[in-house]
Amino acid sequence: WEIKYMVEHGIDVQSFCWFGDNSAGPLKTPSWGEQLHEAFMYAEYSDYMYYVLQWETSATQAFNAGQFRNYIVPYWFENYFLDERYMTIDNKLVLPIFGAAQLSEASYFGSISGVKSEFDYLEEQARKYGFDGVLFFACGSSGDNLANMGFDASYAYNWGTAGSSLQVNKDRITSSAKNQKMYT
């Protein structure tokens, strides 16, 4: 009923936080996924709206490029991306990422170019399934490093406790929008 109520009031997409598990092997049950896996996916009105994963890298066990390609990407396609309810824009999958900057750290893809390589891989896989690519959204402010990693846009998810101030929100979003390499 919550889905029906949201749609009737103009909300047509939900973003679900996605936390991986056991990235050293095939994924079985992502952590904290009940709201998506046990509720939304089986809800009577779930076909009334779209959904996206918000990939939570900041609270996920670290993984490398091999684990990303062999376990995470196939899991996403099998369980989400090929679902007709998964959101696309211009036939591109939408993938918001919280903790985006940490993907370039040694415990993940190791560099800005490493992240770009993995994003290119994910887009290549998307094209094999008939999509026109992937839109990568970074949580937070736009930046040159994020643009060089392959992020297309940034979005405000939260600014911590400072985000309770209207002026903080205005300043950070305006500052982010000045970066012309990414959409804010």
Side-chain angles (χ1 to χ4, degrees):
W1 289 104
E2 289 177 1
I3 294 169
K4 187 175 184 294
Y5 182 83
M6 286 188 287
V7 172
E8 289 172 350
H9 292 83
I11 299 168
D12 61 359
V13 65
Q14 284 193 69
S15 177
F16 292 97
C17 294
W18 188 87
F19 303 85
D21 70 344
N22 191 18
S23 58
L27 283 105
K28 302 291 184 199
T29 307
S31 302
W32 305 323
E34 292 82 8
Q35 78 282 3
L36 176 58
H37 289 268
E38 303 300 325
F40 180 82
M41 292 295 201
Y42 298 103
E44 181 175 353
Y45 299 107
S46 67
D47 60 337
Y48 284 31
M49 68 182 341
Y50 297 100
Y51 73 96
V52 296
L53 303 179
Q54 177 174 274
W55 182 19
E56 297 280 351
T57 65
S58 63
T60 300
Q61 179 182 348
F63 53 85
N64 61 35
Q67 293 162 327
F68 180 72
R69 291 181 185 211
N70 292 317
Y71 305 125
I72 295 173
V73 170
Y75 187 88
W76 284 345
F77 277 100
E78 182 178 328
N79 292 281
Y80 313 115
F81 294 161
L82 300 178
D83 184 339
E84 62 188 27
R85 298 169 293 186
Y86 196 87
M87 183 181 180
T88 61
I89 298 174
D90 297 332
N91 200 39
K92 293 181 180 182
L93 296 165
V94 176
L95 184 61
I97 302 173
F98 184 86
Q102 90 177 33
L103 288 175
S104 64
E105 294 175 2
S107 58
Y108 287 88
F109 302 138
S111 65
I112 290 171
S113 63
V115 176
K116 178 74 170 103
S117 176
E118 296 314 307
F119 281 7
D120 289 347
Y121 174 78
L122 182 54
E123 287 199 289
E124 177 186 311
Q125 297 307 302
R127 287 185 182 91
K128 288 180 180 178
Y129 285 103
F131 296 102
D132 292 331
V134 180
L135 294 171
F136 297 99
F137 288 56
C139 178
S141 298
S142 295
D144 290 347
N145 284 346
L146 293 172
N148 292 335
M149 287 180 202
F151 282 97
D152 301 290
S154 68
Y155 64 99
Y157 178 70
N158 74 60
W159 306 117
T161 55
S164 62
S165 161
L166 175 61
Q167 193 59 49
V168 167
N169 282 274
K170 286 181 178 180
D171 292 347
R172 291 194 180 168
I173 292 170
T174 302
S175 174
S176 183
K178 290 178 183 176
N179 184 313
Q180 298 299 304
K181 293 182 180 180
M182 294 172 62
Y183 180 80
T184 297

